[in-house]
Amino acid sequence: MDYIIGIDVGTTSTKALLYDLNGKIYAKANKGYTLYQSVPDMAEEDPEDIFNATLQAIQEVVAKAQLKDGKVVAVSWSAQQHSLIALDKDYKPITKAITWADNRAGKYADEYRENGRGMEMYKRTGLPIHPMGPFYKLLWLKNEEPDIFKNAAYWVGIKEYIIWRYTNVLKEEISMGAATGLMNMKTADWDDEAMKEAGVKREQLPELVDTTYKIKGIRSEYAKVMGIDDDVYFVMGATDGALSTIGVGAIETGVLAINIGTSAAVRSFVDKPVIDPKGRLYCYLIMKGKYLVGGPINNGGIVFSWAHDALFGSELETAKMLKMNSFDMLTEIAKKVPAGSNGLIFHPYLGGERAPLWDANARGSFFGLNRSHTRAHMIRAVLEGIVYNLYSVTLALREVTGKPKAILAAGGFVQSSLGRQILADVYENDVTIPESYESGSLAAMFLAKMSLGLEDKLEDISKYIGAKNVYHPNEENYAKYRALIPIYIRLSRELSKEYKSIADYQREFPESIDDQK
């Protein structure tokens, strides 16, 4: 029996899962690392930390599985989008990995929005006008860090860098290339105008290849540490957004995929480029005849984690003593509050926001607080606010792709019964959740099988997904959410007039997240 490792390089950790060729999981590992946020708008990671996390995660799953009757034939990669690393001529990083959550390029995104060039770039590349995009990060570095920009021989993302470390081959697959804002969505090649605007040359960017492209052989010293053969195939894989969509089976046009992990997203596949006239959605080429349209959201489960830590300190100590999961404890507290949280609305913009606002200055707020509200209302309002935000993105998606045929959901948020119910109630729709919630790693494994010639059609991933559970909305809650969602949307428009003012204040009088620990 041969085996495949699907590995997902996320924002806060790397997960590795070891599968046999029938899709059975033999071992899992999860290795975390630090997100550096020492100054306002900064969100960086150390490429060495992430590389070591991948090395340790693969080593752990191989050791746990104790393989005796075969070997690992392929490692296939999923990774966070929009990261940027400058490498010198010897391929050594001269910056940390600047992540999707870094907003320091906001000034340049604003300029491109105001002068109209941003919309022109969006129409060619599919990247919305936002500092998350490597295109805008390059503008920022060119103007604010000229020495780094001048000394950079290559520009890559975290996945490209890691694969190079293992294989000595520098390539970039098209789904990750699409997320840079430097690739033309129609030609699947680096866009000449985008490169000129950003000030980079073609030779500074990796060669673009398909998502199923494979590299045979890795450096023997790493193979030895991981416990695998050095002739293993490394399959390029795709972005985490693309693979989490494929991994829940949302491949058919018109099927909506919702993923709520640390961040969140609403996505749907289409068979040709689709551009939103208002620029609210991305459109990225994933593979031939498959474009992913959707909206990424900064503030998913990370907001629940904030509320967990900031509002419920004493309960966390109680949960620890009782050996309970503290997140489960909070959802039980939130269940005691009726749908709509008695008119308490939470805007979950703790880290700026991508879709639907595309405003790096956006800030969070509670609205409607009165003396009857408790922390239980606040925690439920936080959960509801995350879903309201997703729903507002879905309204934009409906305008360009039509009403969805079905809704599939994955991520840690929907492992909670309350999270599932809020999602179904707000959408007033059945929500289907696959039994296997590690959708990104599963899809990475499947792409490896396609790369090795063991599968032909993307749609055939359905046989690996396993049982699907359907959750139905509670009609008693419809009226409450129908009344609150328009208020939520109108209020976000009104507050947006002051987001820059309060963000500028916070930059003038900063307190870093690291200082608070």
Side-chain angles (χ1 to χ4, degrees):
M1 175 70 74
D2 289 333
Y3 302 88
I4 294 171
I5 294 173
I7 189 159
D8 184 4
V9 181
T11 306
T12 56
S13 67
T14 286
K15 298 176 184 177
L17 281 81
L18 188 145
Y19 298 86
D20 68 17
L21 297 186
N22 296 317
K24 178 183 175 181
I25 297 172
Y26 279 73
K28 300 180 183 180
N30 190 359
K31 301 296 178 183
Y33 28 79
T34 301
L35 182 68
Y36 296 95
Q37 297 178 286
S38 55
V39 299
D41 299 322
M42 172 186 172
E44 294 184 342
E45 293 172 330
D46 189 330
E48 190 68 16
D49 288 348
I50 300 179
F51 173 77
N52 287 332
T54 68
L55 189 69
Q56 293 163 14
I58 295 172
Q59 179 189 42
E60 184 172 324
V61 294
V62 172
K64 281 181 177 178
Q66 297 183 334
L67 306 178
K68 297 176 182 177
D69 59 346
K71 67 176 185 176
V72 175
V73 293
V75 178
S76 185
W77 295 83
S78 165
Q80 55 177 291
Q81 303 174 88
H82 309 301
S83 61
L84 182 68
I85 306 170
L87 304 179
D88 66 15
K89 60 183 177 59
D90 297 316
Y91 300 91
K92 293 180 179 178
I94 56 176
T95 65
K96 284 188 168 68
I98 307 171
T99 73
W100 61 267
D102 193 294
N103 288 321
R104 287 174 291 178
K107 168 185 173 183
Y108 301 95
D110 290 343
E111 287 179 1
Y112 266 65
R113 182 179 291 106
E114 291 164 7
N115 64 28
R117 294 209 303 275
M119 183 56 73
E120 293 173 8
M121 298 296 295
Y122 167 63
K123 289 177 179 177
R124 287 205 312 279
T125 68
L127 175 77
I129 308 164
H130 190 271
M132 69 176 183
F135 172 79
Y136 294 103
K137 291 181 172 77
L138 286 165
L139 295 177
W140 170 67
L141 287 166
K142 181 169 65 172
N143 288 280
E144 308 290 336
E145 300 286 351
D147 289 341
I148 289 174
F149 195 86
K150 180 181 177 182
N151 291 322
Y154 306 99
W155 297 102
V156 300
I158 188 61
K159 181 153 73 82
E160 297 76 60
Y161 172 71
I162 289 171
I163 291 176
W164 176 83
R165 283 285 301 271
Y166 283 112
T167 67
N168 207 33
V169 175
L170 189 64
K171 304 285 186 184
E172 184 159 2
E173 46 79 19
I174 56 174
S175 77
M176 198 65 79
T180 65
L182 296 167
M183 192 188 93
N184 187 293
M185 73 171 86
K186 294 181 179 177
T187 66
D189 192 13
W190 296 121
D191 185 85
D192 289 334
E193 186 64 24
M195 288 189 290
K196 181 179 177 182
E197 293 263 347
V200 300
K201 299 176 182 177
R202 182 177 290 268
E203 55 266 29
Q204 291 180 286
L205 301 173
E207 178 189 0
L208 289 164
V209 296
D210 290 336
T211 54
T212 53
Y213 184 89
K214 61 183 181 293
I215 301 164
K216 185 174 184 179
I218 64 172
R219 299 179 184 187
S220 58
E221 62 268 31
Y222 297 136
K224 185 176 181 180
V225 169
M226 294 184 291
I228 61 178
D229 292 349
D230 59 10
D231 64 350
V232 67
Y233 284 105
F234 266 36
V235 179
M236 292 300 295
T239 63
D240 54 2
L243 290 178
S244 65
T245 305
I246 294 168
V248 296
I251 297 165
E252 183 184 352
T253 298
V255 176
L256 192 68
I258 296 174
N259 187 280
I260 314 175
T262 302
S263 56
V266 182
R267 311 178 183 97
S268 185
F269 274 114
V270 292
D271 57 9
K272 59 183 179 181
V274 173
I275 290 298
D276 174 24
K278 298 177 183 177
R280 296 165 297 179
L281 305 167
Y282 63 70
C283 182
Y284 298 151
L285 176 63
I286 305 303
M287 55 181 62
K288 186 176 180 181
K290 291 288 182 185
Y291 293 80
L292 196 63
V293 180
I297 293 166
N298 288 5
N299 300 286
I302 196 170
V303 180
F304 186 42
S305 295
W306 163 80
H308 169 280
D309 296 342
L311 302 177
F312 287 88
S314 60
E315 284 79 0
L316 304 187
E317 290 302 316
T318 302
K320 189 182 297 183
M321 287 189 294
L322 297 175
K323 297 183 179 180
M324 292 179 60
N325 182 297
S326 54
F327 286 95
D328 291 343
M329 177 182 281
L330 293 200
T331 57
E332 289 302 314
I333 291 171
K335 282 180 182 179
K336 297 175 183 178
V337 173
S341 303
N342 294 117
L344 182 60
I345 293 175
F346 179 69
H347 284 84
Y349 309 135
L350 301 189
E353 191 50 283
R354 292 181 289 174
L357 304 181
W358 298 106
D359 187 348
N361 292 317
R363 296 295 185 264
S365 59
F366 284 101
F367 178 79
L369 270 171
N370 62 43
R371 287 192 300 271
S372 71
H373 288 123
T374 65
R375 288 183 302 158
H377 291 87
M378 295 174 79
I379 195 66
R380 180 167 185 126
V382 166
L383 295 170
E384 290 174 335
I386 293 168
V387 178
Y388 295 162
N389 203 35
L390 283 162
Y391 185 74
S392 63
V393 177
T394 304
L395 294 176
L397 191 59
R398 282 179 179 176
E399 290 180 26
V400 298
T401 63
K403 186 176 179 180
K405 299 175 184 177
I407 298 175
L408 302 177
F413 187 92
V414 295
Q415 302 311 305
S416 152
S417 61
L418 180 59
R420 294 191 293 266
Q421 194 61 53
I422 292 172
L423 191 65
D425 291 348
V426 169
Y427 276 79
E428 298 186 19
N429 208 102
D430 287 349
V431 174
T432 301
I433 299 175
E435 193 174 66
S436 174
Y437 60 90
E438 298 289 3
S439 54
S441 299
L442 176 68
M445 178 277 293
F446 188 80
L447 282 191
K449 292 199 71 173
M450 291 183 67
S451 178
L452 296 171
L454 303 175
E455 293 286 354
D456 297 320
K457 298 183 298 181
L458 200 59
E459 291 75 10
D460 288 340
I461 195 174
S462 59
K463 64 189 177 186
Y464 298 97
I465 293 173
K468 295 181 179 180
N469 302 303
V470 180
Y471 297 88
H472 308 289
N474 182 344
E475 294 185 18
E476 293 178 6
N477 296 331
Y478 287 178
K480 294 177 180 179
Y481 288 133
R482 285 176 187 170
L484 284 172
I485 289 170
I487 299 172
Y488 174 93
I489 293 172
R490 288 197 304 269
L491 185 60
S492 66
R493 291 170 182 161
E494 289 299 314
L495 289 173
S496 68
K497 299 170 186 177
E498 296 296 338
Y499 283 149
K500 186 176 186 303
S501 300
I502 197 64
D504 285 345
Y505 174 90
Q506 292 170 351
R507 293 181 184 111
E508 184 178 354
F509 303 100
E511 181 183 14
S512 79
I513 292 174
D514 293 339
D515 291 339
Q516 300 168 21
K517 295 177 180 177

mmCIF file of all heavy atoms in Angstrom, residues 76-90:
data_model
loop_
_atom_site.group_PDB
_atom_site.id
_atom_site.type_symbol
_atom_site.label_atom_id
_atom_site.label_comp_id
_atom_site.label_asym_id
_atom_site.label_seq_id
_atom_site.Cartn_x
_atom_site.Cartn_y
_atom_site.Cartn_z
ATOM 1 N N SER A 76 1.513 16.605 -1.085
ATOM 2 C CA SER A 76 0.785 17.594 -1.882
ATOM 3 C C SER A 76 0.405 18.768 -0.993
ATOM 4 O O SER A 76 0.020 18.596 0.164
ATOM 5 C CB SER A 76 -0.465 16.956 -2.491
ATOM 6 O OG SER A 76 -1.115 17.855 -3.363
ATOM 7 N N TRP A 77 0.434 19.988 -1.546
ATOM 8 C CA TRP A 77 0.466 21.203 -0.749
ATOM 9 C C TRP A 77 -0.758 22.101 -0.922
ATOM 10 O O TRP A 77 -1.166 22.419 -2.029
ATOM 11 C CB TRP A 77 1.710 22.009 -1.101
ATOM 12 C CG TRP A 77 2.953 21.288 -0.734
ATOM 13 C CD1 TRP A 77 3.601 20.326 -1.468
ATOM 14 C CD2 TRP A 77 3.692 21.413 0.483
ATOM 15 N NE1 TRP A 77 4.695 19.853 -0.789
ATOM 16 C CE2 TRP A 77 4.778 20.504 0.418
ATOM 17 C CE3 TRP A 77 3.548 22.208 1.607
ATOM 18 C CZ2 TRP A 77 5.709 20.385 1.445
ATOM 19 C CZ3 TRP A 77 4.472 22.085 2.640
ATOM 20 C CH2 TRP A 77 5.544 21.183 2.545
ATOM 21 N N SER A 78 -1.288 22.504 0.219
ATOM 22 C CA SER A 78 -2.258 23.597 0.312
ATOM 23 C C SER A 78 -1.590 24.689 1.137
ATOM 24 O O SER A 78 -0.808 24.391 2.046
ATOM 25 C CB SER A 78 -3.532 23.115 1.009
ATOM 26 O OG SER A 78 -4.339 24.202 1.408
ATOM 27 N N ALA A 79 -1.886 25.963 0.839
ATOM 28 C CA ALA A 79 -1.250 27.031 1.622
ATOM 29 C C ALA A 79 -2.081 28.298 1.591
ATOM 30 O O ALA A 79 -2.887 28.524 0.687
ATOM 31 C CB ALA A 79 0.162 27.315 1.107
ATOM 32 N N GLN A 80 -1.843 29.124 2.604
ATOM 33 C CA GLN A 80 -2.466 30.435 2.684
ATOM 34 C C GLN A 80 -2.114 31.264 1.449
ATOM 35 O O GLN A 80 -1.036 31.154 0.888
ATOM 36 C CB GLN A 80 -1.985 31.153 3.942
ATOM 37 C CG GLN A 80 -0.468 31.263 4.052
ATOM 38 C CD GLN A 80 -0.003 32.048 5.259
ATOM 39 O OE1 GLN A 80 -0.190 33.254 5.333
ATOM 40 N NE2 GLN A 80 0.607 31.363 6.223
ATOM 41 N N GLN A 81 -3.048 32.111 1.053
ATOM 42 C CA GLN A 81 -2.862 32.963 -0.111
ATOM 43 C C GLN A 81 -2.233 34.310 0.279
ATOM 44 O O GLN A 81 -2.235 34.690 1.432
ATOM 45 C CB GLN A 81 -4.211 33.247 -0.776
ATOM 46 C CG GLN A 81 -4.970 32.006 -1.189
ATOM 47 C CD GLN A 81 -6.349 32.338 -1.704
ATOM 48 O OE1 GLN A 81 -6.533 32.603 -2.875
ATOM 49 N NE2 GLN A 81 -7.333 32.331 -0.810
ATOM 50 N N HIS A 82 -1.731 35.012 -0.744
ATOM 51 C CA HIS A 82 -1.358 36.435 -0.652
ATOM 52 C C HIS A 82 -0.101 36.714 0.152
ATOM 53 O O HIS A 82 0.180 37.872 0.449
ATOM 54 C CB HIS A 82 -2.510 37.269 -0.078
ATOM 55 C CG HIS A 82 -3.822 37.068 -0.753
ATOM 56 N ND1 HIS A 82 -4.008 37.304 -2.094
ATOM 57 C CD2 HIS A 82 -5.019 36.655 -0.269
ATOM 58 C CE1 HIS A 82 -5.266 37.044 -2.413
ATOM 59 N NE2 HIS A 82 -5.896 36.635 -1.322
ATOM 60 N N SER A 83 0.689 35.704 0.522
ATOM 61 C CA SER A 83 1.922 35.999 1.248
ATOM 62 C C SER A 83 3.001 36.456 0.265
ATOM 63 O O SER A 83 2.941 36.161 -0.935
ATOM 64 C CB SER A 83 2.402 34.766 2.020
ATOM 65 O OG SER A 83 2.676 33.693 1.138
ATOM 66 N N LEU A 84 3.973 37.181 0.797
ATOM 67 C CA LEU A 84 5.058 37.690 -0.047
ATOM 68 C C LEU A 84 6.369 37.638 0.732
ATOM 69 O O LEU A 84 6.442 38.098 1.874
ATOM 70 C CB LEU A 84 4.769 39.138 -0.480
ATOM 71 C CG LEU A 84 5.817 39.770 -1.412
ATOM 72 C CD1 LEU A 84 5.810 39.096 -2.789
ATOM 73 C CD2 LEU A 84 5.580 41.270 -1.559
ATOM 74 N N ILE A 85 7.398 37.087 0.081
ATOM 75 C CA ILE A 85 8.743 37.014 0.651
ATOM 76 C C ILE A 85 9.732 37.485 -0.410
ATOM 77 O O ILE A 85 9.666 37.071 -1.566
ATOM 78 C CB ILE A 85 9.114 35.576 1.053
ATOM 79 C CG1 ILE A 85 8.059 34.976 1.992
ATOM 80 C CG2 ILE A 85 10.497 35.533 1.703
ATOM 81 C CD1 ILE A 85 8.245 33.477 2.219
ATOM 82 N N ALA A 86 10.665 38.348 -0.015
ATOM 83 C CA ALA A 86 11.763 38.744 -0.889
ATOM 84 C C ALA A 86 12.942 37.819 -0.631
ATOM 85 O O ALA A 86 13.325 37.580 0.523
ATOM 86 C CB ALA A 86 12.162 40.190 -0.616
ATOM 87 N N LEU A 87 13.516 37.277 -1.708
ATOM 88 C CA LEU A 87 14.697 36.419 -1.610
ATOM 89 C C LEU A 87 15.887 37.101 -2.268
ATOM 90 O O LEU A 87 15.725 37.819 -3.270
ATOM 91 C CB LEU A 87 14.453 35.079 -2.307
ATOM 92 C CG LEU A 87 13.260 34.237 -1.865
ATOM 93 C CD1 LEU A 87 13.197 32.956 -2.697
ATOM 94 C CD2 LEU A 87 13.321 33.914 -0.384
ATOM 95 N N ASP A 88 17.088 36.862 -1.736
ATOM 96 C CA ASP A 88 18.277 37.391 -2.396
ATOM 97 C C ASP A 88 18.702 36.440 -3.514
ATOM 98 O O ASP A 88 18.020 35.445 -3.791
ATOM 99 C CB ASP A 88 19.390 37.651 -1.388
ATOM 100 C CG ASP A 88 19.942 36.373 -0.738
ATOM 101 O OD1 ASP A 88 19.681 35.257 -1.264
ATOM 102 O OD2 ASP A 88 20.633 36.489 0.285
ATOM 103 N N LYS A 89 19.837 36.704 -4.139
ATOM 104 C CA LYS A 89 20.267 35.903 -5.286
ATOM 105 C C LYS A 89 20.574 34.453 -4.915
ATOM 106 O O LYS A 89 20.605 33.572 -5.778
ATOM 107 C CB LYS A 89 21.485 36.545 -5.954
ATOM 108 C CG LYS A 89 22.696 36.682 -5.052
ATOM 109 C CD LYS A 89 23.832 37.394 -5.773
ATOM 110 C CE LYS A 89 25.037 37.597 -4.863
ATOM 111 N NZ LYS A 89 25.593 36.366 -4.314
ATOM 112 N N ASP A 90 20.799 34.213 -3.614
ATOM 113 C CA ASP A 90 21.048 32.849 -3.144
ATOM 114 C C ASP A 90 19.785 32.201 -2.580
ATOM 115 O O ASP A 90 19.863 31.173 -1.894
ATOM 116 C CB ASP A 90 22.137 32.864 -2.071
ATOM 117 C CG ASP A 90 23.473 33.353 -2.614
ATOM 118 O OD1 ASP A 90 23.854 32.926 -3.716
ATOM 119 O OD2 ASP A 90 24.123 34.173 -1.934
#
